[in-house]
PDB file of all heavy atoms in Angstrom:
ATOM      1  N   ALA K 261     -66.557  15.293  17.576  1.00 85.00           N
ATOM      2  CA  ALA K 261     -65.774  16.482  17.915  1.00 85.00           C
ATOM      3  C   ALA K 261     -65.404  17.225  16.636  1.00 85.00           C
ATOM      4  O   ALA K 261     -64.884  16.642  15.689  1.00 85.00           O
ATOM      5  CB  ALA K 261     -64.523  16.084  18.681  1.00 85.00           C
ATOM      6  N   GLY K 262     -65.708  18.520  16.586  1.00 85.00           N
ATOM      7  CA  GLY K 262     -65.420  19.332  15.412  1.00 85.00           C
ATOM      8  C   GLY K 262     -66.522  19.348  14.371  1.00 85.00           C
ATOM      9  O   GLY K 262     -66.427  20.078  13.375  1.00 85.00           O
ATOM     10  N   ALA K 263     -67.590  18.569  14.572  1.00 87.00           N
ATOM     11  CA  ALA K 263     -68.678  18.493  13.591  1.00 87.00           C
ATOM     12  C   ALA K 263     -69.630  19.681  13.760  1.00 87.00           C
ATOM     13  O   ALA K 263     -69.871  20.159  14.861  1.00 87.00           O
ATOM     14  CB  ALA K 263     -69.454  17.188  13.740  1.00 87.00           C
ATOM     15  N   LEU K 264     -70.188  20.142  12.637  1.00 88.00           N
ATOM     16  CA  LEU K 264     -71.172  21.225  12.661  1.00 88.00           C
ATOM     17  C   LEU K 264     -72.476  20.726  13.265  1.00 88.00           C
ATOM     18  O   LEU K 264     -73.012  19.701  12.860  1.00 88.00           O
ATOM     19  CB  LEU K 264     -71.425  21.730  11.237  1.00 88.00           C
ATOM     20  CG  LEU K 264     -72.442  22.867  11.081  1.00 88.00           C
ATOM     21  CD1 LEU K 264     -71.851  24.166  11.629  1.00 88.00           C
ATOM     22  CD2 LEU K 264     -72.833  23.045   9.621  1.00 88.00           C
ATOM     23  N   VAL K 265     -72.994  21.448  14.260  1.00 89.00           N
ATOM     24  CA  VAL K 265     -74.250  21.045  14.902  1.00 89.00           C
ATOM     25  C   VAL K 265     -75.359  22.076  14.688  1.00 89.00           C
ATOM     26  O   VAL K 265     -76.533  21.760  14.856  1.00 89.00           O
ATOM     27  CB  VAL K 265     -74.058  20.803  16.407  1.00 89.00           C
ATOM     28  CG1 VAL K 265     -73.131  19.617  16.640  1.00 89.00           C
ATOM     29  CG2 VAL K 265     -73.494  22.031  17.101  1.00 89.00           C
ATOM     30  N   ALA K 266     -75.004  23.315  14.311  1.00 89.00           N
ATOM     31  CA  ALA K 266     -76.026  24.336  14.068  1.00 89.00           C
ATOM     32  C   ALA K 266     -75.391  25.528  13.359  1.00 89.00           C
ATOM     33  O   ALA K 266     -74.185  25.783  13.492  1.00 89.00           O
ATOM     34  CB  ALA K 266     -76.681  24.796  15.374  1.00 89.00           C
ATOM     35  N   THR K 267     -76.210  26.243  12.593  1.00 85.00           N
ATOM     36  CA  THR K 267     -75.785  27.486  11.950  1.00 85.00           C
ATOM     37  C   THR K 267     -76.820  28.553  12.248  1.00 85.00           C
ATOM     38  O   THR K 267     -78.020  28.328  12.074  1.00 85.00           O
ATOM     39  CB  THR K 267     -75.643  27.323  10.425  1.00 85.00           C
ATOM     40  OG1 THR K 267     -74.618  26.365  10.155  1.00 85.00           O
ATOM     41  CG2 THR K 267     -75.257  28.643   9.772  1.00 85.00           C
ATOM     42  N   VAL K 268     -76.350  29.713  12.710  1.00 85.00           N
ATOM     43  CA  VAL K 268     -77.230  30.841  13.012  1.00 85.00           C
ATOM     44  C   VAL K 268     -76.827  31.999  12.102  1.00 85.00           C
ATOM     45  O   VAL K 268     -75.643  32.344  12.002  1.00 85.00           O
ATOM     46  CB  VAL K 268     -77.120  31.268  14.488  1.00 85.00           C
ATOM     47  CG1 VAL K 268     -78.011  32.477  14.761  1.00 85.00           C
ATOM     48  CG2 VAL K 268     -77.515  30.114  15.399  1.00 85.00           C
ATOM     49  N   VAL K 269     -77.807  32.593  11.432  1.00 80.00           N
ATOM     50  CA  VAL K 269     -77.567  33.713  10.525  1.00 80.00           C
ATOM     51  C   VAL K 269     -78.120  34.981  11.163  1.00 80.00           C
ATOM     52  O   VAL K 269     -79.307  35.068  11.470  1.00 80.00           O
ATOM     53  CB  VAL K 269     -78.234  33.472   9.150  1.00 80.00           C
ATOM     54  CG1 VAL K 269     -78.043  34.683   8.253  1.00 80.00           C
ATOM     55  CG2 VAL K 269     -77.659  32.231   8.507  1.00 80.00           C
ATOM     56  N   GLY K 270     -77.238  35.951  11.381  1.00 76.00           N
ATOM     57  CA  GLY K 270     -77.644  37.218  11.967  1.00 76.00           C
ATOM     58  C   GLY K 270     -77.860  38.278  10.914  1.00 76.00           C
ATOM     59  O   GLY K 270     -77.864  38.001   9.710  1.00 76.00           O
ATOM     60  N   GLU K 271     -78.036  39.504  11.361  1.00 72.00           N
ATOM     61  CA  GLU K 271     -78.228  40.609  10.433  1.00 72.00           C
ATOM     62  C   GLU K 271     -76.902  40.962   9.769  1.00 72.00           C
ATOM     63  O   GLU K 271     -75.833  40.761  10.321  1.00 72.00           O
ATOM     64  CB  GLU K 271     -78.781  41.832  11.171  1.00 72.00           C
ATOM     65  CG  GLU K 271     -80.168  41.602  11.768  1.00 72.00           C
ATOM     66  CD  GLU K 271     -80.691  42.843  12.464  1.00 72.00           C
ATOM     67  OE1 GLU K 271     -79.934  43.839  12.522  1.00 72.00           O
ATOM     68  OE2 GLU K 271     -81.830  42.806  12.938  1.00 72.00           O
ATOM     69  N   GLY K 272     -76.983  41.531   8.566  1.00 70.00           N
ATOM     70  CA  GLY K 272     -75.779  41.917   7.835  1.00 70.00           C
ATOM     71  C   GLY K 272     -75.901  41.560   6.375  1.00 70.00           C
ATOM     72  O   GLY K 272     -76.867  40.940   5.924  1.00 70.00           O
ATOM     73  N   GLY K 273     -74.885  41.964   5.604  1.00 73.00           N
ATOM     74  CA  GLY K 273     -74.882  41.700   4.174  1.00 73.00           C
ATOM     75  C   GLY K 273     -74.485  40.276   3.850  1.00 73.00           C
ATOM     76  O   GLY K 273     -74.378  39.418   4.737  1.00 73.00           O
ATOM     77  N   LEU K 274     -74.269  40.024   2.567  1.00 81.00           N
ATOM     78  CA  LEU K 274     -73.895  38.702   2.098  1.00 81.00           C
ATOM     79  C   LEU K 274     -72.479  38.739   1.527  1.00 81.00           C
ATOM     80  O   LEU K 274     -72.009  39.768   1.067  1.00 81.00           O
ATOM     81  CB  LEU K 274     -74.862  38.205   1.022  1.00 81.00           C
ATOM     82  CG  LEU K 274     -76.328  38.056   1.412  1.00 81.00           C
ATOM     83  CD1 LEU K 274     -77.134  37.564   0.217  1.00 81.00           C
ATOM     84  CD2 LEU K 274     -76.494  37.109   2.576  1.00 81.00           C
ATOM     85  N   HIS K 275     -71.826  37.594   1.581  1.00 86.00           N
ATOM     86  CA  HIS K 275     -70.553  37.438   0.884  1.00 86.00           C
ATOM     87  C   HIS K 275     -70.489  36.034   0.308  1.00 86.00           C
ATOM     88  O   HIS K 275     -71.285  35.162   0.664  1.00 86.00           O
ATOM     89  CB  HIS K 275     -69.360  37.729   1.808  1.00 86.00           C
ATOM     90  CG  HIS K 275     -69.161  36.710   2.884  1.00 86.00           C
ATOM     91  ND1 HIS K 275     -69.153  37.021   4.218  1.00 86.00           N
ATOM     92  CD2 HIS K 275     -68.944  35.368   2.842  1.00 86.00           C
ATOM     93  CE1 HIS K 275     -68.944  35.933   4.930  1.00 86.00           C
ATOM     94  NE2 HIS K 275     -68.826  34.917   4.120  1.00 86.00           N
ATOM     95  N   VAL K 276     -69.535  35.827  -0.588  1.00 90.00           N
ATOM     96  CA  VAL K 276     -69.322  34.515  -1.197  1.00 90.00           C
ATOM     97  C   VAL K 276     -67.973  33.989  -0.721  1.00 90.00           C
ATOM     98  O   VAL K 276     -66.952  34.681  -0.856  1.00 90.00           O
ATOM     99  CB  VAL K 276     -69.343  34.585  -2.735  1.00 90.00           C
ATOM    100  CG1 VAL K 276     -69.009  33.220  -3.329  1.00 90.00           C
ATOM    101  CG2 VAL K 276     -70.698  35.057  -3.229  1.00 90.00           C
ATOM    102  N   LYS K 277     -67.970  32.797  -0.141  1.00 90.00           N
ATOM    103  CA  LYS K 277     -66.714  32.132   0.191  1.00 90.00           C
ATOM    104  C   LYS K 277     -66.361  31.238  -0.987  1.00 90.00           C
ATOM    105  O   LYS K 277     -67.019  30.239  -1.240  1.00 90.00           O
ATOM    106  CB  LYS K 277     -66.842  31.315   1.478  1.00 90.00           C
ATOM    107  CG  LYS K 277     -65.548  30.599   1.882  1.00 90.00           C
ATOM    108  CD  LYS K 277     -65.734  29.717   3.098  1.00 90.00           C
ATOM    109  CE  LYS K 277     -65.927  30.537   4.355  1.00 90.00           C
ATOM    110  NZ  LYS K 277     -65.978  29.660   5.567  1.00 90.00           N
ATOM    111  N   ALA K 278     -65.326  31.637  -1.723  1.00 91.00           N
ATOM    112  CA  ALA K 278     -64.968  30.935  -2.955  1.00 91.00           C
ATOM    113  C   ALA K 278     -63.567  30.336  -2.827  1.00 91.00           C
ATOM    114  O   ALA K 278     -62.754  30.773  -1.998  1.00 91.00           O
ATOM    115  CB  ALA K 278     -65.018  31.890  -4.146  1.00 91.00           C
ATOM    116  N   TYR K 279     -63.302  29.348  -3.682  1.00 91.00           N
ATOM    117  CA  TYR K 279     -62.004  28.685  -3.683  1.00 91.00           C
ATOM    118  C   TYR K 279     -61.457  28.694  -5.105  1.00 91.00           C
ATOM    119  O   TYR K 279     -62.043  28.121  -6.019  1.00 91.00           O
ATOM    120  CB  TYR K 279     -62.119  27.256  -3.164  1.00 91.00           C
ATOM    121  CG  TYR K 279     -62.492  27.200  -1.704  1.00 91.00           C
ATOM    122  CD1 TYR K 279     -63.834  27.179  -1.307  1.00 91.00           C
ATOM    123  CD2 TYR K 279     -61.516  27.219  -0.718  1.00 91.00           C
ATOM    124  CE1 TYR K 279     -64.175  27.153   0.032  1.00 91.00           C
ATOM    125  CE2 TYR K 279     -61.854  27.204   0.626  1.00 91.00           C
ATOM    126  CZ  TYR K 279     -63.185  27.164   0.994  1.00 91.00           C
ATOM    127  OH  TYR K 279     -63.518  27.150   2.324  1.00 91.00           O
ATOM    128  N   ALA K 280     -60.317  29.396  -5.300  1.00 88.00           N
ATOM    129  CA  ALA K 280     -59.680  29.507  -6.606  1.00 88.00           C
ATOM    130  C   ALA K 280     -58.471  28.591  -6.666  1.00 88.00           C
ATOM    131  O   ALA K 280     -57.946  28.144  -5.633  1.00 88.00           O
ATOM    132  CB  ALA K 280     -59.263  30.955  -6.864  1.00 88.00           C
ATOM    133  N   SER K 281     -58.000  28.322  -7.870  1.00 84.00           N
ATOM    134  CA  SER K 281     -56.826  27.479  -8.049  1.00 84.00           C
ATOM    135  C   SER K 281     -55.612  28.121  -7.385  1.00 84.00           C
ATOM    136  O   SER K 281     -55.410  29.336  -7.431  1.00 84.00           O
ATOM    137  CB  SER K 281     -56.549  27.265  -9.545  1.00 84.00           C
ATOM    138  OG  SER K 281     -55.298  26.634  -9.740  1.00 84.00           O
ATOM    139  N   GLY K 282     -54.778  27.292  -6.760  1.00 84.00           N
ATOM    140  CA  GLY K 282     -53.577  27.807  -6.118  1.00 84.00           C
ATOM    141  C   GLY K 282     -52.640  28.499  -7.089  1.00 84.00           C
ATOM    142  O   GLY K 282     -51.851  29.370  -6.690  1.00 84.00           O
ATOM    143  N   GLU K 283     -52.712  28.140  -8.379  1.00 81.00           N
ATOM    144  CA  GLU K 283     -51.852  28.774  -9.374  1.00 81.00           C
ATOM    145  C   GLU K 283     -52.226  30.237  -9.599  1.00 81.00           C
ATOM    146  O   GLU K 283     -51.428  31.013 -10.121  1.00 81.00           O
ATOM    147  CB  GLU K 283     -51.940  27.999 -10.703  1.00 81.00           C
ATOM    148  CG  GLU K 283     -51.433  26.557 -10.583  1.00 81.00           C
ATOM    149  CD  GLU K 283     -51.570  25.798 -11.885  1.00 81.00           C
ATOM    150  OE1 GLU K 283     -52.017  26.412 -12.878  1.00 81.00           O
ATOM    151  OE2 GLU K 283     -51.230  24.603 -11.913  1.00 81.00           O
ATOM    152  N   ASP K 284     -53.431  30.618  -9.207  1.00 83.00           N
ATOM    153  CA  ASP K 284     -53.876  32.010  -9.375  1.00 83.00           C
ATOM    154  C   ASP K 284     -53.672  32.841  -8.112  1.00 83.00           C
ATOM    155  O   ASP K 284     -54.090  33.993  -8.052  1.00 83.00           O
ATOM    156  CB  ASP K 284     -55.367  32.034  -9.746  1.00 83.00           C
ATOM    157  CG  ASP K 284     -55.607  31.484 -11.129  1.00 83.00           C
ATOM    158  OD1 ASP K 284     -54.842  31.829 -12.034  1.00 83.00           O
ATOM    159  OD2 ASP K 284     -56.559  30.701 -11.295  1.00 83.00           O
ATOM    160  N   PHE K 285     -53.042  32.273  -7.089  1.00 85.00           N
ATOM    161  CA  PHE K 285     -52.900  32.953  -5.800  1.00 85.00           C
ATOM    162  C   PHE K 285     -52.278  34.343  -5.948  1.00 85.00           C
ATOM    163  O   PHE K 285     -52.756  35.328  -5.368  1.00 85.00           O
ATOM    164  CB  PHE K 285     -52.057  32.085  -4.870  1.00 85.00           C
ATOM    165  CG  PHE K 285     -51.768  32.710  -3.538  1.00 85.00           C
ATOM    166  CD1 PHE K 285     -52.797  33.153  -2.722  1.00 85.00           C
ATOM    167  CD2 PHE K 285     -50.468  32.867  -3.089  1.00 85.00           C
ATOM    168  CE1 PHE K 285     -52.537  33.733  -1.491  1.00 85.00           C
ATOM    169  CE2 PHE K 285     -50.193  33.450  -1.866  1.00 85.00           C
ATOM    170  CZ  PHE K 285     -51.226  33.885  -1.067  1.00 85.00           C
ATOM    171  N   SER K 286     -51.214  34.458  -6.743  1.00 83.00           N
ATOM    172  CA  SER K 286     -50.495  35.732  -6.875  1.00 83.00           C
ATOM    173  C   SER K 286     -51.262  36.761  -7.695  1.00 83.00           C
ATOM    174  O   SER K 286     -50.899  37.938  -7.704  1.00 83.00           O
ATOM    175  CB  SER K 286     -49.119  35.493  -7.500  1.00 83.00           C
ATOM    176  OG  SER K 286     -49.245  34.947  -8.802  1.00 83.00           O
ATOM    177  N   ARG K 287     -52.338  36.347  -8.370  1.00 85.00           N
ATOM    178  CA  ARG K 287     -53.053  37.266  -9.264  1.00 85.00           C
ATOM    179  C   ARG K 287     -54.370  37.755  -8.653  1.00 85.00           C
ATOM    180  O   ARG K 287     -55.156  38.412  -9.312  1.00 85.00           O
ATOM    181  CB  ARG K 287     -53.349  36.581 -10.598  1.00 85.00           C
ATOM    182  CG  ARG K 287     -52.084  36.114 -11.291  1.00 85.00           C
ATOM    183  CD  ARG K 287     -52.292  35.735 -12.751  1.00 85.00           C
ATOM    184  NE  ARG K 287     -53.291  34.712 -12.937  1.00 85.00           N
ATOM    185  CZ  ARG K 287     -54.481  34.928 -13.508  1.00 85.00           C
ATOM    186  NH1 ARG K 287     -54.820  36.129 -13.899  1.00 85.00           N
ATOM    187  NH2 ARG K 287     -55.322  33.939 -13.670  1.00 85.00           N
ATOM    188  N   ILE K 288     -54.611  37.411  -7.369  1.00 89.00           N
ATOM    189  CA  ILE K 288     -55.836  37.849  -6.694  1.00 89.00           C
ATOM    190  C   ILE K 288     -55.472  38.905  -5.665  1.00 89.00           C
ATOM    191  O   ILE K 288     -54.620  38.667  -4.804  1.00 89.00           O
ATOM    192  CB  ILE K 288     -56.545  36.672  -6.019  1.00 89.00           C
ATOM    193  CG1 ILE K 288     -56.826  35.552  -7.028  1.00 89.00           C
ATOM    194  CG2 ILE K 288     -57.841  37.128  -5.373  1.00 89.00           C
ATOM    195  CD1 ILE K 288     -57.383  34.297  -6.396  1.00 89.00           C
ATOM    196  N   ALA K 289     -56.098  40.071  -5.760  1.00 88.00           N
ATOM    197  CA  ALA K 289     -55.778  41.174  -4.853  1.00 88.00           C
ATOM    198  C   ALA K 289     -57.032  41.624  -4.112  1.00 88.00           C
ATOM    199  O   ALA K 289     -58.145  41.610  -4.666  1.00 88.00           O
ATOM    200  CB  ALA K 289     -55.181  42.340  -5.628  1.00 88.00           C
ATOM    201  N   VAL K 290     -56.859  42.022  -2.843  1.00 89.00           N
ATOM    202  CA  VAL K 290     -57.969  42.571  -2.075  1.00 89.00           C
ATOM    203  C   VAL K 290     -58.467  43.850  -2.745  1.00 89.00           C
ATOM    204  O   VAL K 290     -57.669  44.702  -3.142  1.00 89.00           O
ATOM    205  CB  VAL K 290     -57.535  42.863  -0.620  1.00 89.00           C
ATOM    206  CG1 VAL K 290     -58.642  43.567   0.135  1.00 89.00           C
ATOM    207  CG2 VAL K 290     -57.136  41.577   0.087  1.00 89.00           C
ATOM    208  N   GLY K 291     -59.778  43.974  -2.887  1.00 89.00           N
ATOM    209  CA  GLY K 291     -60.374  45.132  -3.535  1.00 89.00           C
ATOM    210  C   GLY K 291     -60.674  44.930  -5.003  1.00 89.00           C
ATOM    211  O   GLY K 291     -61.343  45.769  -5.628  1.00 89.00           O
ATOM    212  N   ALA K 292     -60.192  43.841  -5.599  1.00 89.00           N
ATOM    213  CA  ALA K 292     -60.419  43.593  -7.029  1.00 89.00           C
ATOM    214  C   ALA K 292     -61.907  43.386  -7.299  1.00 89.00           C
ATOM    215  O   ALA K 292     -62.590  42.707  -6.534  1.00 89.00           O
ATOM    216  CB  ALA K 292     -59.624  42.377  -7.476  1.00 89.00           C
ATOM    217  N   PRO K 293     -62.428  43.974  -8.404  1.00 90.00           N
ATOM    218  CA  PRO K 293     -63.833  43.753  -8.765  1.00 90.00           C
ATOM    219  C   PRO K 293     -64.079  42.290  -9.101  1.00 90.00           C
ATOM    220  O   PRO K 293     -63.182  41.592  -9.582  1.00 90.00           O
ATOM    221  CB  PRO K 293     -64.026  44.652  -9.994  1.00 90.00           C
ATOM    222  CG  PRO K 293     -62.900  45.629  -9.946  1.00 90.00           C
ATOM    223  CD  PRO K 293     -61.749  44.906  -9.322  1.00 90.00           C
ATOM    224  N   ALA K 294     -65.290  41.833  -8.874  1.00 89.00           N
ATOM    225  CA  ALA K 294     -65.648  40.451  -9.172  1.00 89.00           C
ATOM    226  C   ALA K 294     -67.076  40.402  -9.686  1.00 89.00           C
ATOM    227  O   ALA K 294     -67.918  41.228  -9.315  1.00 89.00           O
ATOM    228  CB  ALA K 294     -65.503  39.576  -7.933  1.00 89.00           C
ATOM    229  N   ALA K 295     -67.332  39.440 -10.568  1.00 87.00           N
ATOM    230  CA  ALA K 295     -68.679  39.199 -11.087  1.00 87.00           C
ATOM    231  C   ALA K 295     -69.177  37.874 -10.519  1.00 87.00           C
ATOM    232  O   ALA K 295     -68.455  36.871 -10.549  1.00 87.00           O
ATOM    233  CB  ALA K 295     -68.674  39.159 -12.608  1.00 87.00           C
ATOM    234  N   ILE K 296     -70.403  37.871 -10.000  1.00 87.00           N
ATOM    235  CA  ILE K 296     -71.006  36.681  -9.405  1.00 87.00           C
ATOM    236  C   ILE K 296     -72.150  36.231 -10.296  1.00 87.00           C
ATOM    237  O   ILE K 296     -73.039  37.019 -10.623  1.00 87.00           O
ATOM    238  CB  ILE K 296     -71.520  36.983  -7.985  1.00 87.00           C
ATOM    239  CG1 ILE K 296     -70.379  37.525  -7.128  1.00 87.00           C
ATOM    240  CG2 ILE K 296     -72.129  35.733  -7.353  1.00 87.00           C
ATOM    241  CD1 ILE K 296     -70.850  38.214  -5.876  1.00 87.00           C
ATOM    242  N   GLN K 297     -72.108  34.984 -10.702  1.00 80.00           N
ATOM    243  CA  GLN K 297     -73.103  34.440 -11.634  1.00 80.00           C
ATOM    244  C   GLN K 297     -73.149  35.259 -12.927  1.00 80.00           C
ATOM    245  O   GLN K 297     -74.199  35.402 -13.545  1.00 80.00           O
ATOM    246  CB  GLN K 297     -74.482  34.388 -10.988  1.00 80.00           C
ATOM    247  CG  GLN K 297     -74.601  33.398  -9.845  1.00 80.00           C
ATOM    248  CD  GLN K 297     -74.435  31.955 -10.272  1.00 80.00           C
ATOM    249  OE1 GLN K 297     -73.306  31.478 -10.414  1.00 80.00           O
ATOM    250  NE2 GLN K 297     -75.534  31.259 -10.485  1.00 80.00           N
TER     251      GLN K 297
END
């Protein structure tokens, strides 16, 4: 129960689901530029 059994990818763009340190929570704002790799 609750286990992943399948993943389906539809049309659309890409995003990155990232996890930052909790100490930086107050310094992250929606819309802020980001560099990937």
Side-chain angles (χ1 to χ4, degrees):
L264 180 71
V265 295
T267 297
V268 178
V269 177
E271 296 181 357
L274 299 180
H275 69 238
V276 176
K277 180 184 289 185
Y279 293 89
S281 171
E283 297 178 2
D284 291 317
F285 177 56
S286 62
R287 301 194 303 111
I288 305 173
V290 174
I296 304 163
Q297 293 295 82

